[in-house]
Amino acid sequence: RLGCVASRSSPSSTSMQRVSAMMLAATVAAILAGAAADLTTCQHTFSNGKSFDLTPLRRSAGLRDWYADDRNGNMYYFNVCSDASQVPEACVSLQKAVQAPVYQVTNQSDCFWLGQLKSMEWELIDDAEPAAGIELYYFDGEQCRDGIARDVRIQLFCDPDAGVGKPLDYYVLEEDCHYSITWPSKYGCPIEGGWSLMSYIYWALILFGLYVGAGCAFNVTQRGATLGPDAMPNSEFWQDVSGRAANALDGARGSMAGAMNSQKTSYESVDNL
């Protein structure tokens, strides 16, 4: 059921409810602001107006990181627009559990982090042909020979037919501590109109969350509503929507069950012939 966390109250606890409501609103706003900031870091618009959205490629906590290898059997584990979800075991065993977006685990079980998220930069693969794709650079990685800092680029070549694509299909290249991951993907293509469908969905959810948090806080602090489902802004409307949605879902389940029973009856009739 839509609404805020329910709790009983008495007139003497009104001030406590108001404080709780304000804290709730502040918490919701902070969480959603953080989510919005996180979202925008995975989108970029260049001065020529071409926009790219790599949000679907970012691995959230708990999901396996992307990976690839090179011709020497070294493995690379990485994330897009975020630190890797997991630090490789080789790094942990070497006491190198540094949060980083890209790691190299060598065929000798050495581990190196190849850049830092805060140094991430966006570049076009070809300035003269923006539709060629996008490059993400991570700089300021672990020091290499002669004190050179490692860095890595992820080249996302535009290929509408590749779907998400697989970075494992291409060898990682390395030259003088500079690494290059090749990845043909539909997400390497500019997005039309500057915003993708997923971007609209994310922002719609963020705005709805702000609406709920601010509405609950206002109704409790200004209108004396009890902190609970009734404090939801326009609660009667949303209760009506929830009821209609539940009825529609029940109707769909009934129709599906009827269709399945009808199909089963037809099978039984054929078997009895």
Side-chain angles (χ1 to χ4, degrees), residues 44-87:
H44 188 78
T45 301
F46 289 92
S47 58
N48 60 9
K50 295 296 182 181
S51 297
F52 295 82
D53 184 3
L54 303 183
T55 304
L57 299 181
R58 181 171 47 203
R59 295 295 202 184
S60 58
L63 294 180
R64 185 178 183 181
D65 292 308
W66 301 104
Y67 59 94
D69 60 359
D70 60 26
R71 295 182 184 276
N72 296 319
N74 303 314
M75 293 299 299
Y76 300 82
Y77 303 92
F78 63 97
N79 205 347
V80 175
C81 299
S82 182
D83 284 331
S85 297
Q86 296 181 337
V87 178

Side-chain angles (χ1 to χ4, degrees), residues 93-110:
S93 63
L94 293 172
Q95 297 183 347
K96 288 173 134 183
V98 177
Q99 288 294 328
V102 186
Y103 298 93
Q104 179 199 43
V105 177
T106 71
N107 53 20
Q108 301 296 321
S109 297
D110 287 326

Side-chain angles (χ1 to χ4, degrees), residues 24-162:
L24 171 65
T27 302
V28 170
I31 292 174
L32 293 175
D38 194 33
L39 173 64
T40 56
T41 60
C42 219
Q43 297 174 318
H44 188 78
T45 301
F46 289 92
S47 58
N48 60 9
K50 295 296 182 181
S51 297
F52 295 82
D53 184 3
L54 303 183
T55 304
L57 299 181
R58 181 171 47 203
R59 295 295 202 184
S60 58
L63 294 180
R64 185 178 183 181
D65 292 308
W66 301 104
Y67 59 94
D69 60 359
D70 60 26
R71 295 182 184 276
N72 296 319
N74 303 314
M75 293 299 299
Y76 300 82
Y77 303 92
F78 63 97
N79 205 347
V80 175
C81 299
S82 182
D83 284 331
S85 297
Q86 296 181 337
V87 178
E89 292 183 5
C91 295
V92 176
S93 63
L94 293 172
Q95 297 183 347
K96 288 173 134 183
V98 177
Q99 288 294 328
V102 186
Y103 298 93
Q104 179 199 43
V105 177
T106 71
N107 53 20
Q108 301 296 321
S109 297
D110 287 326
C111 180
F112 304 99
W113 44 279
L114 304 185
Q116 297 186 47
L117 183 61
K118 65 181 181 181
S119 68
M120 186 182 78
E121 294 184 7
W122 297 71
E123 297 288 346
L124 291 170
I125 291 177
D126 186 348
D127 291 333
E129 184 53 53
I134 189 76
E135 294 178 330
L136 278 185
Y137 280 87
Y138 296 114
F139 295 102
D140 302 328
E142 191 170 354
Q143 283 194 349
C144 194
R145 54 184 174 270
D146 299 326
I148 299 173
R150 290 175 169 85
D151 61 65
V152 59
R153 68 175 176 178
I154 302 174
Q155 289 186 305
L156 288 148
F157 287 90
C158 175
D159 187 348
D161 299 325

Side-chain angles (χ1 to χ4, degrees), residues 8-19:
R8 294 186 179 182
S9 63
S10 63
S12 61
S13 64
T14 301
S15 60
M16 183 64 69
Q17 284 190 11
R18 291 181 177 179
V19 172

